[in-house]
Amino acid sequence: MTTQDLIEADFVVIGAGSAGCAVAARLSEDPATRVLLLEAGGEDRNRWIHIPLGFGKTFADPSVNWCYETEPDPGASNRRVFWPRGKVLGGSSSINGMVYIRGQAEDFDHWRQLGNSGWSFDDVLPYFKRAEHQTRGADAFHGTDGPLCVSDVPDRHPICEAFIKSAMELGFRRNDDFNGASQDGVGYHQTTTRKGRRCSTAVGYLRPAMQRPNLRVMTQALTEKIVFEGHRAIGVTFRQNGRIITARAGREVILCGGAVNSPQLLMLSGIGPREHLTELGVPVLHDLPGVGQSLQDHYSAPIKLKCLKPITVNDVMQSNTRKLKIGLQYMMFRNGPLAMASSPAALFARTRPELASPDIKCSISPFSADRPQDGLHPWSGFTLIAYQLRPESRGQIKLKTAEPVDAPAVHPNYLATETDQRTIVAGLKLCRQLLANPHLHTLIESEVLPGSAVQEDEQLLDFARRRGGTVYHPTSTCKMGSDPMAVVDAELRVHGVGALRVADASIMPTVVSGNTNAATIMIGEKAADLVRGEAARMAA
């Protein structure tokens, strides 16, 4: 081995995604600490990453996206469901819809009730606040000194305004802060944008940190295996430009690959279910049956509508003149359609009155498409989707082969329980109630999907299976806990081995009730303090 093939660091962080950028940036704040951050993708130079509406351009772009597909899933009519995941600096925070939703306080209190000390809402709120630069200002729930800019949507679209009025006339309260005292109600999202441009963790955390001499970031670096001495992690091997390089970690290896890649790498490194690893010829270092198990994801069903008025984003994109106009508007003022997130407004509601907190989310987007990668419909269109916030169904991720370049097998097991089936149907019915209100109804020419012929519960469930899909929130494949299926403890240390932690959405014991990006960044923030042994100081 030449000196070029060996790199020394105190910490090796695998994956420069939503959590990994936060972990590496925070650890490198100590000038005496050497941090190496490895990213399988490239730099975030694609211009569509930074223009908010550009998420449609990166949705299926393999230069910045792993472009995974699930295995044929019985809950989705045996379809393969497309699973985009970020493969670029910033990870999925560089290609997502930029919606900033932390989840309900009850989510984190439930994590604590499962035995995970230090993860109640009161415990994690300081990390949410530390991460955030809230453009509205600081208060009991928000901070202003963090790297992640959280801002209001720049425009009030007439379709979103009609949606909000419809919900309020149905008795739902207006809520201008889904991340405040309560999630209940209807209103506009806030987004991870700064002055009309995406604020990914690469932009917010990593770019400033890369000025430090003690942080080294290597892109196009696919980690192939975690290296151990006995049961202690001492580094990794990774491939870059055809070369195999070893990075030694003097203190710890921190895995931030996300809900797909973190369990994949653990299994490739011999940590996982013994029988599965043995079948693939992977030497078993530690039999840990929960690796890749307990997968949760939010599954949605759409209602797609033709609009009576030419006010949708579809209309803009059909006209070269209007495209030129919005391009100039965006360049000059950083607003207009190009500054739009995936769904500007939403309703959080209960499908049953006995529930303590919302179990369904209805999101509205003033555009429509069959699939984002197929482009917008050639007619005036908008979309309303419903998804269950707390699914019961659990899936799994398994290796297909022992080769790091091969995608793993994803089995999401959507809509496997009666509660999940009942809730998605109730969500579609609630969407139709909203659409029947005059504020929205006067904008509708016709319901394209599922269409007026689909009315009965069985028909709605069948439609959800045939035409629904992921909301891109996979979690829990390396879940935190002390039960037999747990992979990490409450300090994110992998059970049964030393000097190895996982810090990303895969450690969530249960998926949060909303978008997962904010909570994943919080996990990165907290992980850095756990590594530094400073969690107690933050809680004081």
Side-chain angles (χ1 to χ4, degrees):
M1 180 181 295
T2 68
T3 54
Q4 292 176 305
D5 297 326
L6 176 64
I7 300 171
E8 300 271 1
D10 296 300
F11 298 105
V12 175
V13 182
I14 307 166
S18 298
C21 287
V23 170
R26 291 302 187 190
L27 291 179
S28 66
E29 289 175 342
D30 179 358
T33 298
R34 298 168 301 164
V35 180
L36 173 65
L37 177 61
L38 301 175
E39 168 55 43
E43 295 192 27
D44 56 338
R45 292 177 177 170
N46 185 320
R47 63 173 177 152
W48 291 113
I49 287 174
H50 304 286
I51 299 171
L53 195 64
F55 71 88
K57 297 284 190 180
T58 60
F59 189 84
D61 181 351
S63 71
V64 296
N65 191 327
W66 287 100
C67 296
Y68 290 125
E69 279 191 329
T70 71
E71 299 303 297
D73 192 74
S77 293
N78 291 309
R79 291 179 297 129
R80 293 182 183 271
V81 179
F82 185 61
W83 266 34
R85 308 307 302 156
K87 185 184 180 184
V88 62
L89 291 182
S92 293
S93 78
S94 287
I95 66 167
N96 67 6
M98 292 151 288
V99 172
Y100 183 79
I101 296 287
R102 296 171 177 176
Q104 298 165 8
E106 293 87 348
D107 297 333
F108 307 102
D109 289 341
H110 178 59
W111 292 4
R112 175 63 186 89
Q113 288 300 104
L114 292 173
N116 298 297
S117 297
W119 291 90
S120 72
F121 182 67
D122 286 345
D123 293 321
V124 301
L125 179 58
Y127 292 102
F128 279 120
K129 293 172 70 174
R130 188 172 81 177
E132 183 184 27
H133 172 69
Q134 171 58 249
T135 58
R136 296 177 181 176
D139 61 21
F141 294 98
H142 298 286
T144 54
D145 297 325
L148 185 74
C149 192
V150 177
S151 61
D152 295 318
V153 296
D155 302 293
R156 299 294 187 254
H157 195 281
I159 290 175
C160 297
E161 288 288 299
F163 168 78
I164 291 169
K165 290 174 183 176
S166 297
M168 292 178 69
E169 284 201 1
L170 288 176
F172 296 102
R173 75 179 186 92
R174 177 68 184 256
N175 187 348
D176 290 316
D177 187 2
F178 295 131
N179 302 296
S182 173
Q183 192 187 66
D184 286 81
V186 65
Y188 285 97
H189 286 127
Q190 286 201 297
T191 63
T192 50
T193 56
R194 178 190 290 133
K195 296 180 179 178
R197 288 175 65 81
R198 178 191 294 273
C199 185
S200 67
T201 54
V203 170
Y205 282 89
L206 195 57
R207 291 295 173 198
M210 287 173 70
Q211 307 304 312
R212 301 172 187 146
N214 61 324
L215 173 62
R216 182 174 183 180
V217 179
M218 299 184 71
T219 56
Q220 307 294 345
L222 177 66
T223 302
E224 297 194 336
K225 190 175 182 181
I226 302 166
V227 179
F228 291 86
E229 278 186 357
H231 278 62
R232 178 182 174 84
I234 60 166
V236 303
T237 59
F238 65 95
R239 184 179 296 271
Q240 186 188 57
N241 300 324
R243 296 169 55 210
I244 299 294
I245 303 171
T246 298
R248 292 185 64 91
R251 293 176 62 180
E252 289 192 33
V253 174
I254 303 157
L255 178 50
C256 304
V260 177
N261 297 112
S262 284
Q264 179 191 24
L265 185 59
L266 286 177
M267 288 187 281
L268 289 171
S269 304
I271 301 171
R274 178 182 297 277
E275 183 177 349
H276 176 51
L277 299 185
T278 301
E279 286 174 356
L280 291 167
V282 176
V284 179
L285 176 77
H286 179 57
D287 180 15
L288 196 57
V291 175
Q293 303 299 304
S294 307
L295 170 65
Q296 286 196 294
D297 186 27
H298 289 138
Y299 186 84
S300 71
I303 296 181
K304 299 183 181 181
L305 305 120
K306 286 190 176 181
C307 187
L308 275 172
K309 299 180 181 180
I311 57 174
T312 72
V313 178
N314 296 27
D315 298 294
V316 173
M317 296 304 174
Q318 294 303 315
S319 164
N320 288 331
T321 301
R322 293 181 72 178
K323 283 195 288 187
L324 177 61
K325 181 180 176 182
I326 68 164
L328 291 171
Q329 179 184 359
Y330 181 74
M331 287 175 61
M332 294 175 66
F333 305 110
R334 290 289 188 259
N335 60 16
L338 288 176
M340 185 180 293
S342 57
S343 54
L347 166 67
F348 288 89
R350 296 165 174 79
T351 61
R352 306 194 307 278
E354 68 270 20
L355 294 174
S357 60
D359 68 328
I360 200 79
K361 182 182 181 183
C362 304
S363 297
I364 194 156
S365 301
F367 51 83
S368 67
D370 288 330
R371 300 182 305 169
Q373 63 266 45
D374 296 334
L376 300 177
H377 287 136
W379 31 264
S380 300
F382 64 100
T383 309
L384 191 57
I385 69 163
Y387 71 84
Q388 182 187 14
L389 294 172
R390 291 186 295 277
E392 293 177 347
S393 303
R394 297 270 185 169
Q396 63 179 341
I397 289 177
K398 303 177 75 173
L399 297 178
K400 287 183 181 177
T401 75
E403 295 297 323
V405 295
D406 292 337
V410 178
H411 301 272
N413 201 29
Y414 290 126
L415 299 175
T417 73
E418 183 181 346
T419 298
D420 294 4
Q421 296 163 18
R422 186 173 65 243
T423 304
I424 198 73
V425 169
L428 285 169
K429 288 181 172 181
L430 175 57
C431 287
R432 278 184 163 167
Q433 283 184 270
L434 293 164
L435 293 167
N437 183 274
H439 287 291
L440 269 175
H441 192 68
T442 54
L443 294 174
I444 298 170
E445 177 183 319
S446 63
E447 181 183 293
V448 179
L449 286 176
S452 58
V454 177
Q455 294 292 336
E456 301 300 322
D457 287 7
E458 296 79 8
Q459 293 176 311
L460 289 167
L461 178 59
D462 178 65
F463 167 75
R465 292 192 190 280
R466 288 186 295 104
R467 299 305 295 262
T470 176
V471 198
Y472 324 115
H473 300 159
T475 68
S476 309
T477 49
C478 299
K479 75 167 189 167
M480 174 172 56
S482 54
D483 62 278
M485 297 306 290
V487 175
V488 301
D489 66 13
E491 294 201 358
L492 308 185
R493 298 171 297 200
V494 176
H495 291 301
V497 297
L500 176 62
R501 298 186 207 233
V502 181
D504 55 41
S506 72
I507 67 93
M508 295 184 189
T510 52
V511 64
V512 293
S513 302
N515 299 58
T516 49
N517 186 245
T520 302
I521 295 167
M522 174 277 291
I523 290 166
E525 285 274 7
K526 185 171 171 65
D529 269 11
L530 291 170
V531 170
R532 295 185 295 199
E534 292 181 7
R537 180 182 63 79
M538 280 292 295

